[in-house]
Amino acid sequence: KMQLVELMGHHANSLELSPTDGAALIEYTFSQWYNVVLYLVWFAALWFHLNHGVWSMCQTVGAANDTWLPRLQKVSKLVSTLIFLGFAVVAILTYVKSVCPCVAKFFE
């Protein structure tokens, strides 16, 4: 079972979406602009956390010195940026598909 189903129970919700249909829930959530903006803001905060965490982890295990620390910081920026962009694209494209049906045909 999915955790969402367990949290919502088997009751009908006001959206008439099945709790087991995660794709429909994502489409509904990201069809509203303010949800997309909040999601991106929260993920930007996570970007800072990931950016610091990757090189800090390497520094903790002793892999960082004057030569490697700048390199690790650049790699951590790259990794955290790729993760941010990957998740941001999903939210943005889902919103664009909900606003402009002609774009939805392009992704089918």
Side-chain angles (χ1 to χ4, degrees):
K1 289 186 177 181
M2 293 175 51
Q3 186 176 4
L4 179 63
V5 176
E6 294 171 359
L7 290 174
M8 293 179 70
H10 295 289
H11 307 290
N13 53 27
S14 62
L15 302 175
E16 297 183 9
L17 295 173
S18 170
T20 59
D21 190 3
L25 187 60
I26 289 172
E27 287 177 0
Y28 172 75
T29 302
F30 289 144
S31 67
Q32 300 163 355
W33 67 269
Y34 53 86
N35 285 336
V36 175
V37 170
L38 286 173
Y39 181 81
L40 294 176
V41 167
W42 291 328
F43 231 93
L46 184 61
W47 179 89
F48 283 106
H49 178 69
L50 288 173
N51 184 24
H52 175 264
V54 172
W55 68 263
S56 180
M57 172 190 62
C58 295
Q59 186 177 20
T60 300
V61 297
N65 54 32
D66 291 339
T67 303
W68 281 97
L69 186 59
R71 294 175 187 171
L72 292 172
Q73 289 173 335
K74 289 176 184 170
V75 168
S76 68
K77 283 183 184 175
L78 176 67
V79 169
S80 56
T81 301
L82 290 176
I83 291 172
F84 172 79
L85 290 176
F87 281 93
V89 164
V90 172
I92 292 169
L93 285 181
T94 304
Y95 175 72
V96 170
K97 283 172 53 176
S98 72
V99 173
C100 183
C102 60
V103 176
K105 293 178 184 179
F106 180 73
F107 291 103
E108 289 180 352

